[in-house]
Amino acid sequence: MKKTLQLRSYFLMTLLALFTFVSCDKEDDEQSNGDQETQSNIVETAQNTDALSSLVAALLKADENDGTDLVGTLSGDGPFTVFAPTNDAFTALLGSLDGFDSLEDFDTPEERDLLATILKYHVVAGAAVASSELSDDQVITTFQGEDLIVDLDDGVFIEDATDDDAEVIIPDVNASNGIVHVIDKVLLPQEVLDALSDDDELGTLVDLVVDTEALSLLEAAVIKADLVDTLNGDGPFTVFAPTDDAFVALLDILGDDYSSLDDFDTTEEIDLLRNILLYHVLAAQVLEADLAAGEVPTAFEGNSIAVIEKDETFVIGDASDVDANITGTDFLASNGVAHTIDKVLLPQAALDFVASLQLKNIVEIAIETDDLSLLVDALQAANAGLVETLSGDGPFTVFAPTNDAFIELLDILGDDYTSLADFDTQEELDLLVDILTYHVVPNVAALADDLSNGQQLPTVFGDNLKINKKDGNVHVIDATDDNASVDIPDVVASNGVVHVIDKVLLPQVALDFVASLQLKTIVEIAIETDDLSLLVEALQTANAGLVETLSGDGPFTVFAPTNEAFEELLDILGDDFHSLSDFDTQAERDILVKVLTYHVVVGTAAFKDDLSNGQQIETFQGENVGINIKNGSVRIEDATDDKAKVVLPDVEASNGVVHVIDKVLLPQEVLDILFPPTPNIVELAQSVDDLSLLVDALIQADAGLVEVLSGDGPFTVFAPTNKAFADLLYALGSNFNSLADFDTPAEKELLAKVLTYHVVAGEALASGDLKDHQRLHTVQGEDVIIRLNHGVFVRDKTHVDAEVTGADNVASNGIVHIIDKVLLPQEVIDALH
């Protein structure tokens, strides 16, 4: 044959557009089924169907051979059952065959015989089997002679000799001489697969690599490592073949000394390359279908790779932390199979080699690490020979704070310390030296595994650090209450090891220095704290002398809400309060004063440890706040149901203490002013723009419904939106352009029946109270049915359920669920028809 037929695995094509067999109505179907003389036979049915044009072309092409008459056979009496592949299915088949762009390329008698074999495999002679007559695991013998198997798992699927099943996408297309089931894949018998396989002349794995453009660097590596003869051997082998991009990535990892494979030029490096390549070879043929999770020994003796299940496929794990993705499978060779991967697999020997490349000293590592630039600045600013010391022989263990850790320290020290350059007196420089040497453990390079829980480490400064290990995480305890976490352990240097931490470690001398800084008043602390700017603004807006009071002697305990807490309060208060400046009347400022003084306790500076669970503390406003302590977390209880959390306790001031909280506390006196009684159902509907037509309907019905739904209740009301009423009016036709067209007594009565069908009397049912298939008896007299299916739906007497689009709108006399459709009872449907 002049073309090579090579079957590649292909995925099922999604049919974007097919054909539709249209039945106008049930009576037409019955008439058509009863009149067999008017039906087309199977071939005519295919000819009349655009999406089966490739099948027709295939039949005609196969019939070009002498002695083949598939068109005549399938036009005969039958009966036949035909599984008919779509045009897209034939396109997918052609795409999987080398040298076949269209059916016209089946241009030799041998190729047409192969095509005829494929087509016969889609025909079952002697029976017209409907889809309902098929059973799971049923074996069907085809006209070609081989069997098909039925799979009824989540649809109707037909299993052929390949690994990919065909799905029946249009079943039961009746013809005069049988039945057609349209499928989304061309079925292939084993006879065809064997013919395709026999036609291939496979080279060795080396030939396969040489012939594959994307594996040119693997080819060069195999040659350099002298493995050509090995991979040309009998095998069988499985090779996980890294692409060129994977080799480029490896060279990048190895650094500037390895710009190409030519740089593997020493005996040690070539041996390493050989071992890396052998690490990609298995001494057996393992196809994609044979892959299973587990450890697999490689040709690199004593080293295994891991086959790992991930996202319904497999990845390959090596000695590193990064797995390789399988990008192509089942590239067959005469002595095995290759699967392409997107990463060079690295055995432990390769990782050790990378680690053996020239190491930097501790200072060089810090200089080359962007996130340690402030540590380098600190070493230089201290000007005490620390750079030279940490560039020396060592060994040292250094706990290296990140830039964020230094920035956090500067924030703690206050406005006088905006950068490390502000350590400019001898006293401050001495303090900086003490802090830095407190991070250095001399005479040992202690890796994370060398550290133990509770271990004491003597520092160059003199005071000890303590190690805390829990669940594999390492923390370093200094003189403060906050441990430092080791974010990046075991950065090995030529003169020791660096552990990157998220906090600057502080010895007691540093804490004493911080404490010696002049304390601010409560107001000064608030002014200097960005996240308390709205609290300061509130104190000023209230204009009641509170700024002066909280700048006085005290002592005071102040629970200080954050900016976000004030913004949340403004959101709760509604559109009239966009900012604190909207408290612009005397009455509103009086409310603000009551709120602010409710955050102040006079006469004591109560630190966190002074507070106890269940404690009631009288505030400057007059009402009490409650203390709730659980698992060390402090919350403040006000007159609402939501507690405030103390997010930053014990901010010491010269005249007391501040506890930063995440909520504005509200006393009952203010709640009573801000939140008047809840509206009834009618008032609620009147307040919602999208329920204006519901309100109009209640009025238009003129049946006392406004008064009823303003009464005691309780009621559950399903409230249609304006669009829902507009849809109803459109459905009713040109006689009902608006609700005002319900203007006769009979029409108003009909409207009242519709409206009362939306009302359940005697209970206020929240969405959480509703159950699937629950029947609710309405005031109209008929039931609605609740359906819970990815949402809440209400079923009336039509075929379309209403969806609850806005649930649980609470009124004083019940609850309202907004729905997207007007519900219709049978009584109204009968009247309308």
Side-chain angles (χ1 to χ4, degrees), residues 153-196:
D153 187 14
D154 296 327
V156 180
F157 294 83
I158 306 301
E159 299 177 5
D160 61 359
T162 73
D163 294 328
D164 297 319
D165 300 342
E167 183 177 7
V168 175
I169 54 177
I170 300 181
D172 304 335
V173 181
N174 290 315
S176 62
N177 61 339
I179 193 165
V180 175
H181 303 294
V182 180
I183 59 176
D184 65 353
K185 172 186 178 287
V186 176
L187 303 170
L188 296 176
Q190 189 62 49
E191 178 185 357
V192 169
L193 297 181
D194 292 340
L196 295 174

Side-chain angles (χ1 to χ4, degrees), residues 394-635:
F396 305 104
T397 300
V398 173
F399 296 99
T402 62
N403 290 349
D404 284 344
F406 273 103
I407 291 169
E408 185 176 353
L409 173 64
L410 293 171
D411 289 342
I412 291 171
L413 295 178
D415 289 344
D416 291 336
Y417 296 88
T418 58
S419 74
L420 289 167
D422 291 324
F423 287 83
D424 51 8
T425 69
Q426 191 57 50
E427 179 187 11
E428 291 166 336
L429 291 173
D430 290 344
L431 175 68
L432 187 57
V433 171
D434 290 342
I435 291 173
L436 292 171
T437 55
Y438 190 56
H439 292 74
V440 181
V441 179
N443 304 318
V444 64
L447 298 174
D449 286 344
D450 301 323
L451 301 174
S452 58
N453 190 46
Q455 183 178 2
Q456 297 280 340
L457 298 176
T459 67
V460 171
F461 167 67
D463 289 356
N464 287 355
L465 295 171
K466 186 177 180 179
I467 300 300
N468 176 284
K469 292 186 79 171
K470 186 175 183 181
D471 299 327
N473 297 315
V474 179
H475 304 276
V476 185
I477 302 172
D478 62 359
T480 72
D481 294 328
D482 297 320
N483 300 343
S485 295
V486 174
D487 288 344
I488 305 176
D490 298 344
V491 181
V492 177
S494 61
N495 60 342
V497 64
V498 176
H499 304 291
V500 180
I501 57 175
D502 65 353
K503 174 184 179 289
V504 176
L505 303 171
L506 297 178
Q508 187 60 48
V509 65
L511 298 185
D512 295 339
F513 175 83
V514 173
S516 70
L517 298 174
Q518 183 180 359
L519 293 173
K520 311 288 186 178
T521 68
I522 288 171
V523 172
E524 288 170 335
I525 288 172
I527 291 172
E528 294 176 357
T529 304
D530 290 344
D531 202 27
L532 298 180
S533 60
L534 291 184
L535 171 61
V536 174
E537 185 180 343
L539 292 168
Q540 295 168 336
T541 301
N543 194 25
L546 293 177
V547 171
E548 294 75 12
T549 298
L550 294 176
S551 298
D553 293 337
F556 304 105
T557 301
V558 174
F559 299 101
T562 62
N563 290 349
E564 187 176 347
F566 272 103
E567 288 166 358
E568 185 175 336
L569 174 64
L570 293 171
D571 287 341
I572 292 171
L573 295 179
D575 292 340
D576 291 336
F577 293 90
H578 297 292
S579 70
L580 290 166
S581 62
D582 290 325
F583 288 83
D584 51 9
T585 68
Q586 189 56 52
E588 290 167 342
R589 286 192 290 273
D590 288 345
I591 292 173
L592 189 56
V593 170
K594 295 178 191 299
V595 171
L596 293 170
T597 54
Y598 188 56
H599 292 74
V600 180
V601 178
V602 179
T604 182
F607 287 82
K608 176 182 175 181
D609 288 343
D610 302 321
L611 302 174
S612 59
N613 190 44
Q615 183 179 2
Q616 293 287 319
I617 303 176
E618 184 178 358
T619 68
F620 192 26
Q621 177 264 347
E623 295 180 44
N624 289 353
V625 293
I627 304 300
N628 179 286
I629 300 176
K630 187 175 182 180
N631 297 328
S633 179
V634 178
R635 289 176 167 77

Side-chain angles (χ1 to χ4, degrees), residues 616-766:
Q616 293 287 319
I617 303 176
E618 184 178 358
T619 68
F620 192 26
Q621 177 264 347
E623 295 180 44
N624 289 353
V625 293
I627 304 300
N628 179 286
I629 300 176
K630 187 175 182 180
N631 297 328
S633 179
V634 178
R635 289 176 167 77
I636 311 301
E637 300 172 346
D638 63 358
T640 72
D641 294 328
D642 298 321
K643 302 178 183 68
K645 182 179 180 181
V646 175
V647 295
L648 180 61
D650 296 347
V651 181
E652 187 175 6
S654 61
N655 61 341
V657 65
V658 176
H659 303 290
V660 180
I661 57 176
D662 66 354
K663 174 183 179 291
V664 177
L665 303 172
L666 296 176
Q668 189 62 50
E669 180 182 13
V670 170
L671 292 178
D672 292 341
I673 297 170
L674 293 176
F675 302 103
T678 305
N680 64 39
I681 289 172
V682 173
E683 291 167 339
L684 190 154
Q686 290 170 330
S687 70
V688 177
D689 291 343
D690 202 27
L691 298 181
S692 61
L693 291 184
L694 172 60
V695 175
D696 291 346
L698 291 169
I699 296 170
Q700 184 67 23
D702 194 23
L705 295 177
V706 171
E707 293 75 13
V708 171
L709 294 177
S710 298
D712 293 337
F715 304 103
T716 301
V717 173
F718 298 99
T721 62
N722 290 349
K723 183 179 183 304
F725 273 104
D727 291 343
L728 174 64
L729 293 170
Y730 179 82
L732 293 178
S734 58
N735 290 335
F736 293 87
N737 295 316
S738 72
L739 290 167
D741 290 325
F742 287 87
D743 50 9
T744 69
E747 289 167 342
K748 290 184 178 184
E749 182 179 357
L750 196 68
L751 182 59
K753 294 180 187 297
V754 171
L755 293 170
T756 53
Y757 189 53
H758 292 72
V759 181
V760 178
E763 52 187 341
L765 297 170

Side-chain angles (χ1 to χ4, degrees), residues 39 56 66 89 111 171 225 377 433 493 524 546 655 730 749 776 778:
Q39 284 188 335
V56 174
D66 292 338
E111 291 167 346
D377 291 347
V433 171
E524 288 170 335
L546 293 177
N655 61 341
Y730 179 82
E749 182 179 357
L776 300 178
T778 68

Side-chain angles (χ1 to χ4, degrees), residues 42-68:
I42 288 171
V43 174
E44 291 167 339
T45 297
Q47 289 172 329
N48 293 332
T49 304
D50 290 343
L52 299 181
S53 60
S54 293
L55 174 60
V56 174
L59 291 168
L60 294 172
K61 174 57 66 175
D63 281 354
E64 289 178 11
N65 274 6
D66 292 338
T68 302

